[in-house]
Amino acid sequence: MASYMILTPPGARVDDDRTRFVADGFSWGAFLFPALWLFTKRMWLTGIAVAVLQILLIFLSTLAGGLLAALLLHLALGLMVSLEGPVFIVRRLIARDWTLRSIVPARDLETAEEIYFANVAPGDRNAAERPSVDWPRQAPAKAGPGLGLFESYGER
């Protein structure tokens, strides 16, 4: 079961038609062709960096004893892009002032859409207003213990 990150455009309503559902999971296209996958997602600078790294790995494989190292590094690069690619997309959209509305676990896109739009309350269908946040004036939050590998996002 995958989880879908749901984003809406800046100033859009919660139930807007332009809502994007980004599946957070493994992508075979990104694993096999990392640079091309990034280019198709319009992530130009990251795609160029990955393409240059792939070319350097090809040159590394021509050196004596470099084939195994190049192969392992290429597999690691493919895994990184295929597992973190959806997060790159979401971060790019958030940088363009899109709003992350929810994260929904679902088997497929249709189920994720049904779950999300069924949980949108009629009062939430107004235009999204971004709260004004004055970061420098906020007091730092008291943090608990610093142990653990994963962020809890407020759940228990």
Side-chain angles (χ1 to χ4, degrees):
M1 184 178 297
S3 60
Y4 288 83
M5 295 174 279
I6 303 161
L7 296 105
T8 55
R13 297 173 2 158
V14 175
D15 61 346
D16 193 272
D17 291 337
R18 297 171 295 162
T19 301
R20 296 242 348 231
F21 289 78
V22 180
D24 187 17
F26 184 82
S27 170
W28 279 103
F31 178 71
L32 297 174
F33 308 105
L36 293 176
W37 186 85
L38 289 168
F39 289 143
T40 60
K41 302 298 181 184
R42 297 182 180 206
M43 302 189 70
W44 307 114
L45 294 178
T46 310
I48 290 170
V50 168
V52 167
L53 188 56
Q54 285 180 313
I55 292 169
L56 290 175
L57 289 175
I58 290 171
F59 286 130
L60 175 65
S61 68
T62 61
L63 299 175
L67 180 63
L68 181 62
L71 179 65
L72 291 175
L73 287 172
H74 187 73
L75 288 174
L77 179 65
L79 275 174
M80 185 184 76
V81 172
S82 65
L83 291 173
E84 295 299 323
V87 176
F88 295 158
I89 294 168
V90 169
R91 285 187 180 173
R92 183 185 61 156
L93 290 173
I94 290 174
R96 293 182 178 175
D97 289 332
W98 284 59
T99 304
L100 178 63
R101 294 289 179 183
S102 180
I103 299 175
V104 175
R107 294 177 194 248
D108 55 4
L109 179 61
E110 293 82 23
T111 308
E113 288 175 346
E114 287 177 17
I115 292 171
Y116 174 70
F117 289 119
N119 290 328
V120 174
D124 293 341
R125 296 180 191 260
N126 300 343
E129 295 181 14
R130 301 191 107 197
S132 62
V133 178
D134 193 8
W135 293 107
R137 293 183 187 171
Q138 285 185 343
K142 302 219 178 208
L147 300 175
L149 296 175
F150 306 103
E151 295 181 22
S152 65
Y153 301 112
E155 304 97 42
R156 292 241 173 215

